[in-house]
Amino acid sequence: MARKIVAGNWKMNLLRQEAIGLIDEFQKNCTKPDDVDVMFFVPSLYLADIRTKAWSFNRIGAQNFHKEDSGAFTGEISIPQLKSCGGTIALIGHSERRSLFGETNEVLKDKVNAAIAHDFDFIFCCGEPLEIREQGNELDYVRQQLNESLFHLDSEQMRNRIIAYEPVWAIGTGRTATSEQAEAMHNEIRSWLRDVYSDEIAESVSILYGGSCNPANANELFSCDNVDGGLIGGASLKADSFCQIVNAY
Ligand code: PGA
């Protein structure tokens, strides 16, 4: 069975003491269900601090990394560097990385391969922009993202992976996908996994929803058969709203 996961993506928010305070408050006040994994994708600068603060069952990750291990890549951070600060997982292909930093499916495939080579876990993000949804081409668009960056992995490499479906038009806009829209895409992603891999692998992959998920809509979204949790932006910046989403199952 796919793990249930609720992950917070802090993006470029919070000063160091605010970040530490948020982790402290969340851990002190939030009891999470045993069967839900909680992850925090923090600014890499704070990884080491947050790692020392975080309880062992909460996973701490980065929002991005460079595919090379080291070298002349000013401003970049590698997987070995993230690991050396306690990072165990990272996001790959968030739509903001794709649209604002020009990360193509090819670039993201290289990052997937770097993560696999380092046995470093990741959440692979996919999702269509508004104009693609308005044209009715969202399934082809997302399928292509997965085909070109992820589905080259073999079965063992795909087992227990995490995919986040985040329609770009729902990110930070307050416009959430309906549970029907989310389930329709998640169901497709699961069936592609069945076709490319097997039933067993498809059932092992967690498919998270992201995009204006909040305490008021999380329960309905998480009730969908193929939604295994959420990748939460804005609502992860407050310990109490994030805790409510963690407990929305
Ligand atoms: P949002 O962001 O919850 O603020 O819409 C989600 C994300 O970008 O991962």
Side-chain angles (χ1 to χ4, degrees):
M1 276 296 283
R3 284 172 293 158
K4 293 177 184 168
I5 296 167
V6 178
N9 173 15
W10 291 355
K11 310 192 181 187
M12 197 174 71
N13 293 301
L14 304 172
L15 300 181
R16 179 169 169 266
Q17 285 312 323
E18 293 168 337
I20 292 171
L22 200 165
I23 283 285
D24 280 343
E25 191 188 337
F26 177 83
Q27 296 186 143
K28 201 164 104 220
N29 299 333
C30 191
T31 314
K32 77 171 186 75
D34 285 344
D35 60 345
V36 176
D37 288 357
V38 174
M39 303 179 180
F40 296 90
F41 291 89
V42 309
S44 301
L45 201 55
Y46 309 151
L47 259 179
D49 277 340
I50 302 275
R51 178 64 273 162
T52 5
K53 283 273 173 185
W55 295 350
S56 56
F57 53 78
N58 291 328
R59 295 188 68 189
I60 307 300
Q63 299 165 16
N64 182 38
F65 59 84
H66 193 276
K67 67 174 177 163
E68 299 296 338
D69 288 0
S70 62
F73 302 101
T74 299
E76 293 292 326
I77 297 174
S78 71
I79 294 176
Q81 290 176 320
L82 293 175
K83 283 185 162 180
S84 75
C85 292
T88 61
I89 183 166
L91 302 179
I92 296 182
H94 189 279
S95 69
E96 287 149 21
R97 298 297 317 170
R98 294 173 185 265
S99 66
L100 302 175
F101 301 95
E103 295 191 0
T104 60
N105 289 346
E106 199 182 343
V107 166
L108 299 175
K109 179 181 184 181
D110 288 343
K111 292 193 185 204
V112 165
N113 290 339
I116 294 286
H118 283 288
D119 199 15
F120 192 68
D121 205 357
F122 59 89
I123 297 184
F124 184 85
C125 306
C126 57
E128 80 287 354
L130 183 59
E131 64 273 18
I132 298 290
R133 163 116 351 214
E134 285 174 345
Q135 291 157 10
N137 289 334
E138 66 274 10
L139 295 180
D140 287 348
Y141 188 92
V142 171
R143 174 77 202 232
Q144 190 173 354
Q145 291 179 322
L146 295 172
N147 274 352
E148 292 184 4
S149 306
L150 191 65
F151 283 176
H152 63 286
L153 296 183
D154 67 27
S155 288
E156 280 321 300
Q157 291 166 337
M158 187 57 81
R159 187 185 298 281
N160 298 327
R161 289 274 152 238
I162 311 165
I163 295 173
Y165 168 60
E166 299 201 298
V168 179
W169 44 272
I171 296 179
T173 57
R175 182 179 163 190
T176 322
T178 63
S179 50
E180 290 77 22
Q181 287 170 321
E183 174 58 18
M185 181 63 79
H186 283 230
N187 186 45
E188 284 296 324
I189 295 174
R190 187 93 62 203
S191 72
W192 297 333
L193 287 163
R194 279 199 191 93
D195 293 346
V196 178
Y197 298 96
S198 64
D199 287 358
E200 190 211 343
I201 297 298
E203 295 305 323
S204 79
V205 173
S206 300
I207 310 176
L208 314 185
Y209 170 80
S212 298
C213 188
N214 61 45
N217 60 29
N219 177 271
E220 187 181 339
L221 287 160
F222 294 175
S223 302
C224 299
D225 284 352
N226 287 291
V227 176
D228 303 308
L231 180 54
I232 319 299
S236 72
L237 294 172
K238 291 258 170 2
D240 59 345
S241 59
F242 191 52
C243 181
Q244 286 176 52
I245 297 175
V246 167
N247 282 286
Y249 272 106

